[in-house]
Amino acid sequence: MSELTVSVSPHLRGPRTTQKIMLDVLIALCPAFAASIIIFGWRSILLTGVSAAACVACEYIWERLMKQPITVGDLSAVVTGVLLAFNVPSSMPLWELIVGDIVAIICVKMLFGGIGCNFVNPALVGRVVMFFSFTGDMTNYQFPSMMADKVDALSSATPLAAIRAGELSWDYFGRLLLGTHGGVLGETCALALIAGGVYLCVRRVIKPIIPLAYLGSTLVFGWIFGSSHPVLAVFSGGLMLGAIFMATDYVTTPTTNIGKLIFGIGCGLLTALMRTFASSAGAVTFSILLMNLVVPYINDLTAPKPFGGVEAK
Amino acid sequence: MNLPKLHGVHVPHRKNTAQMPPQRMNAPQTVTIPMSMHIGAPADPVVKVGETVKVGQLIARAGGFVSSPVYASVSGKVKKIDDMLMSTGRFMKAIVIESDGEQTPYEGLTPPEVTDFQSFINAVRDSGVVGLGGAGFPTAVKLGVKDLKQVEVVVVNGAECEPYVTSDTRTMLDDVKWIRRGIELMQKFMGVRRVVIGIEKNKPECVKSMGDMASAMEGVEVMALPALYPQGGEKVLIYHTTGRIVPEGKLPLDAGAIVINCTTLAALAKYMDTGMPLVEKVVTVDGSAVKEPKNVIAPIGASMQSLFDFCGGFKSEPKKVLYGGPMMGIAVPNTDFPVMKNTNAILALDEKDAILPEPTACIRCGSCVDACPLRLMPAAIEAAYNKRNVDRLRELHANLCMECGCCAFVCPAKRMLVQTNKLAKGLIAADNAAKKAEADRKAREAAEKAEKEAAVK
């Protein structure tokens, strides 16, 4: 008989892998991707494709140079690339987007040890760097071509700006759901993002705790702080994309359910605060990043109590 | 009971042999019977090389209080008594008996005389029965409680939550009479008032057979539990059947409970009525490399290979061979290892099942935390172990881990979390030993110093 393998139990492993999880996230992003093509045109495909390719290339080249095992097969870099592209307007120059990709993958992910080791969300930091480096291009929100003939509150500004000015009413709810208004690629169509979120929950890739806590608390705190339309605000800006796809990143969010709840509410509070009292642009990004930073403390405070555990003297 | 349930994982059942009544195999040419098939001191051989033995004859007596006697499983001649490699990697004394093929029972076998608790416990000790569910803890020690009032409930473990394994299933179907007898003996001599039989719901025929039995008895109830691994883990089973929590570092008895495996109970009862001690075991032989999976009645000491041969050999080349189920089973380097008292299954896995995926980086998804029945944080334990942070490991209660494997099963990064937790326990133990040695040294030095000072005065 040939040699037998000897290893520690268990000798049976579940079907789930990191790659399958990331693939599910990509599938969940597909409705929003499709919406962005319909709303903003073919450039959406170009930006998303280039961004994903750039992220994968960054990770691959880094690992080759550092003589590390190649991990691009886990698809996490593709997810980062797609999310970054979803955060830029369709007119964004390609090279500027690639700068964001490099920052996200090299500075935030690989320098800290690769997948699982980053302490903040790579895509969000990439977005922040782009936002401050190329503010003009990042805020050059494109208006859907199919809406060119309609001039109204949504044509000149983003829905969030319109809410701040008190110019948005329930009439626009349908357009917020469909995403036919000015904004960045992946965040305008709330329906597509919600569909992706539901898919992730059904596939048990994420639990609905963080998105619900985040969206719910943004609504409640927005109302408390006197937003002109707290409900529409939930469907505006980057909140839906952030709450479903950014604030649920495993690496940078708490592990326990109660920790997730605290994290979600914290994000919502910060978002409502920033949207009301500071600039509406980037409120979601900074809220999630700030909450990312306190995750280790949330994890410590919400650690589960071991079954039958006796405290050490 | 509306207590929150403990977590676990849905493992594939693969109970291919559940419908197969056990078949008795012929005695193999030789059997190798280790002196340590239980937790505690090894047994002391009482036979010499060349001596003739018969089935059920004592060949080694208990080597201490926490130990168990060993009996010949075949009739024949003692060929040698020598050290052999055990699955733990240690060498252990074993008695090799060459079978004469007759399986002649020993003449001196008579049912023990049991009149009270003490004689009952003595008989349990003489039966050679140990925890047959896998742990191998001497049953006489478990049942020999100082104060019988402590035993408020006895939980009979029929959960059998490991994939593949069906030997307990067969006991609950084929040996109802012995399980019943076992419970009656415990009721009579230990004053047990409440007995709960816990069975996973995926064995409805067992729930029915045990339910029928219990309805004709007093103080016995059957609980059908969700098929959620590790339902048969001692602490998990006690909690889900009675709501009692066994505190860390304590025994079930401290929570007023005793857990006994259904096959252990049946083996005890058999000895009480027939005088035949534990010399054979029903073993599930299965796995993707086995040609005809079966339940086999095998003499203790029969080599794994002889059981595989009885099951038609291999249909594909085995790449991994296990004692027990795939979740907690122990992999062995060859098929010469013997069936032991606590062997409930042997599995041979083909290449596809044997080669596990390579671990990748932890993505902190928290699946392990969600899966752990004891609410530990396996990924945090791994991180603390990698930093050799013993204090943090204590804080995380790494010692509480029962190594059920739920965390490693669900981990998408395929981390070897059980292996790491075993190493973590070793690190804590080494640290405890070092601390104790240091304290002892200080105490000794202080005593010497005091002595010198006294001498000066």
Side-chain angles (χ1 to χ4, degrees):
Chain A
M1 192 188 307
S2 70
E3 301 222 320
L4 294 175
T5 312
V6 177
S7 64
V8 173
S9 62
H11 309 281
L12 187 65
R13 299 296 165 95
R16 177 166 281 193
T17 64
T18 304
Q19 188 193 40
K20 282 185 190 158
I21 290 171
M22 294 302 163
L23 188 63
D24 266 338
V25 176
L26 288 174
I27 293 171
L29 285 165
C30 280
F33 183 47
S36 76
I37 300 168
I38 297 165
I39 298 165
F40 297 108
W42 64 272
R43 214 161 180 280
S44 169
I45 304 175
L46 180 72
L47 285 166
T48 309
V50 166
S51 181
C55 283
V56 172
C58 283
E59 187 167 316
Y60 179 80
I61 293 167
W62 175 271
E63 286 172 341
R64 281 303 289 266
L65 289 177
M66 296 296 146
K67 299 188 169 60
Q68 289 168 353
I70 306 297
T71 58
V72 292
D74 65 25
L75 300 179
S76 63
V78 181
V79 172
T80 303
V82 172
L83 286 177
L84 259 172
F86 278 14
N87 273 292
V88 302
S90 61
S91 58
M92 188 81 177
L94 280 179
W95 74 270
E96 291 179 357
L97 178 56
I98 292 173
V99 169
D101 292 330
I102 294 172
V103 169
I105 295 296
I106 302 295
C107 302
V108 186
K109 188 178 177 188
M110 300 319 288
L111 278 179
F112 286 91
I115 187 168
C117 299
N118 49 293
F119 62 96
V120 284
N121 189 316
L124 288 176
V125 178
R127 178 179 189 265
V128 170
V129 170
M130 286 193 288
F131 190 77
F132 287 114
S133 311
F134 321 113
T135 314
D137 287 331
M138 279 293 279
T139 52
N140 182 17
Y141 300 124
Q142 295 303 295
F143 189 68
S145 48
M146 59 180 119
M147 293 286 161
D149 52 331
K150 290 188 184 168
V151 178
D152 57 29
L154 281 183
S155 65
S156 54
T158 60
L160 273 181
I163 290 173
R164 274 173 84 89
E167 288 169 2
L168 211 63
S169 68
W170 275 112
D171 302 346
Y172 295 98
F173 187 58
R175 286 179 64 185
L176 288 177
L177 283 181
L178 293 175
T180 52
H181 56 80
V184 298
L185 283 189
E187 67 182 29
T188 62
C189 183
L191 270 185
L193 293 167
I194 292 170
V198 170
Y199 175 79
L200 288 181
C201 292
V202 170
R203 297 278 296 165
R204 300 200 176 197
V205 171
I206 63 167
K207 292 179 186 172
I209 302 173
I210 292 179
L212 292 180
Y214 192 172
L215 298 172
S217 58
T218 308
L219 176 74
V220 171
F221 288 117
W223 176 73
I224 292 172
F225 298 148
S227 162
S228 77
H229 211 307
V231 179
L232 291 187
V234 168
F235 293 88
S236 311
L239 182 55
M240 211 50 91
L241 179 68
I244 295 171
F245 290 97
M246 310 277 212
T248 54
D249 167 37
Y250 292 147
V251 182
T252 54
T253 54
T255 24
T256 59
N257 291 344
I258 180 86
K260 285 181 179 15
L261 186 70
I262 295 170
F263 180 87
I265 293 173
C267 285
L269 172 65
L270 289 172
T271 300
L273 272 174
M274 284 187 225
R275 278 184 171 182
T276 316
F277 302 110
S279 142
S280 59
V284 170
T285 306
F286 287 112
S287 304
I288 299 174
L289 284 178
L290 280 170
M291 290 308 291
N292 283 167
L293 296 180
V294 295
V295 164
Y297 303 100
I298 298 178
N299 274 340
D300 267 2
L301 288 173
T302 60
K305 199 181 166 301
F307 180 76
V310 175
E311 282 318 306
K313 274 163 251 161
Chain B
M1 214 172 303
N2 287 322
L3 290 164
K5 294 283 178 260
L6 298 179
H7 293 171
V9 296
H10 292 280
V11 293
H13 299 311
R14 300 188 188 162
K15 305 261 185 195
N16 313 314
T17 53
Q19 305 305 324
M20 301 180 188
Q23 298 176 18
R24 189 178 302 274
M25 67 183 275
N26 292 329
Q29 282 184 334
T30 61
V31 290
T32 306
I33 307 175
M35 293 298 97
S36 185
M37 300 187 278
H38 50 260
I39 291 174
D44 289 329
V46 294
V47 290
K48 293 200 171 62
V49 175
E51 210 170 300
T52 309
V53 294
K54 289 175 182 165
V55 179
Q57 183 178 342
L58 182 79
I59 54 172
R61 61 167 171 261
F65 177 67
V66 182
S67 185
S68 181
V70 177
Y71 298 88
S73 59
V74 294
S75 56
K77 205 175 256 179
V78 177
K79 205 168 125 195
K80 64 176 179 180
I81 301 174
D82 201 3
D83 282 353
M84 62 160 285
L85 182 67
M86 302 282 288
S87 63
T88 53
R90 292 202 180 92
F91 282 87
M92 176 52 59
K93 198 171 275 175
I95 298 176
V96 180
I97 304 171
E98 202 167 37
S99 166
D100 57 13
E102 301 291 329
Q103 288 302 85
T104 325
Y106 184 55
E107 301 84 8
L109 298 179
T110 45
E113 211 168 297
V114 178
T115 50
D116 59 358
F117 177 61
Q118 197 46 54
S119 57
F120 172 69
I121 294 299
N122 290 343
V124 173
R125 182 163 290 121
D126 292 341
S127 71
V129 171
V130 300
L132 302 183
F137 188 73
T139 307
V141 180
K142 185 188 267 191
L143 300 186
V145 293
K146 284 202 186 77
D147 179 8
L148 279 175
K149 282 196 203 78
Q150 267 186 291
V151 186
E152 290 161 29
V153 57
V154 167
V155 181
V156 177
N157 192 346
E160 200 167 55
C161 52
E162 275 266 10
Y164 293 102
V165 189
T166 62
S167 47
D168 286 350
T169 300
R170 291 319 309 182
T171 304
M172 287 184 278
L173 294 177
D174 307 330
D175 293 342
V176 177
K177 132 179 147 177
W178 294 123
I179 294 177
R180 177 174 182 156
R181 183 86 182 102
I183 293 172
E184 285 169 351
L185 285 167
M186 287 183 82
Q187 288 173 324
K188 187 169 176 192
F189 296 109
M190 296 181 68
V192 172
R193 276 184 301 278
R194 184 173 174 224
V195 177
V196 185
I197 306 173
I199 306 169
E200 274 196 352
K201 270 181 191 149
N202 64 348
K203 292 179 273 292
E205 67 281 10
C206 294
V207 175
K208 189 177 177 302
S209 76
M210 289 291 103
D212 291 347
M213 178 194 80
S215 60
M217 300 176 76
E218 203 134 310
V220 183
E221 57 185 301
V222 173
M223 277 183 81
L225 305 164
L228 189 70
Y229 180 87
Q231 196 64 265
E234 195 166 65
K235 288 181 177 183
V236 178
L237 189 71
I238 291 172
Y239 180 69
H240 285 168
T241 50
T242 69
R244 291 162 193 253
I245 296 172
V246 182
E248 183 176 4
K250 299 276 180 168
L251 295 169
L253 196 57
D254 295 302
I258 282 182
V259 178
I260 187 161
N261 173 275
C262 58
T263 302
T264 310
L265 198 56
L268 265 186
K270 249 181 234 180
Y271 172 70
M272 299 292 177
D273 278 12
T274 66
M276 179 59 85
L278 184 64
V279 294
E280 59 183 21
K281 261 312 288 286
V282 173
V283 178
T284 301
V285 184
D286 202 347
S288 45
V290 176
K291 203 176 232 168
E292 299 156 20
K294 275 180 190 156
N295 278 310
V296 180
I297 303 174
I300 285 164
S303 73
M304 286 179 161
Q305 188 59 49
S306 66
L307 272 74
F308 288 129
D309 289 343
F310 183 71
C311 294
F314 300 117
K315 64 180 175 196
S316 56
E317 207 182 345
K319 290 286 181 188
K320 194 184 253 179
V321 171
L322 304 176
Y323 269 127
M327 291 303 285
M328 290 189 74
I330 297 165
V332 292
N334 61 58
T335 52
D336 298 336
F337 284 79
V339 167
M340 299 198 289
K341 286 179 181 177
N342 58 348
T343 304
N344 51 15
I346 58 169
L347 305 179
L349 307 179
D350 65 13
E351 182 148 14
K352 199 175 126 277
D353 286 347
I355 309 302
L356 295 174
E358 283 293 309
T360 56
C362 169
I363 55 171
R364 297 195 233 165
C365 63
S367 302
C368 53
V369 181
D370 276 344
C372 182
L374 301 182
R375 298 192 209 114
L376 300 175
M377 296 199 286
I381 290 173
E382 186 186 37
Y385 173 77
N386 288 340
K387 290 182 196 145
R388 304 293 187 270
N389 187 341
V390 183
D391 291 331
R392 178 77 180 137
L393 287 175
R394 286 202 184 93
E395 224 174 270
L396 292 166
H397 298 265
N399 271 336
L400 201 56
C401 170
M402 56 178 169
E403 298 166 16
C404 65
C406 288
C407 51
F409 178 82
V410 295
C411 179
K414 313 295 168 194
R415 311 281 315 155
M416 289 148 90
L417 295 165
V418 174
Q419 178 164 337
T420 311
N421 206 100
K422 277 177 188 269
L423 292 168
K425 285 181 183 173
L427 198 65
I428 295 174
D431 187 67
N432 287 343
K435 279 200 176 126
K436 189 173 177 301
E438 177 68 14
D440 288 352
R441 189 182 63 80
K442 278 200 179 133
R444 202 172 53 238
E445 277 176 7
E448 277 168 14
K449 205 177 159 198
E451 213 169 285
K452 265 184 202 161
E453 275 169 9
V456 169
K457 275 175 194 165

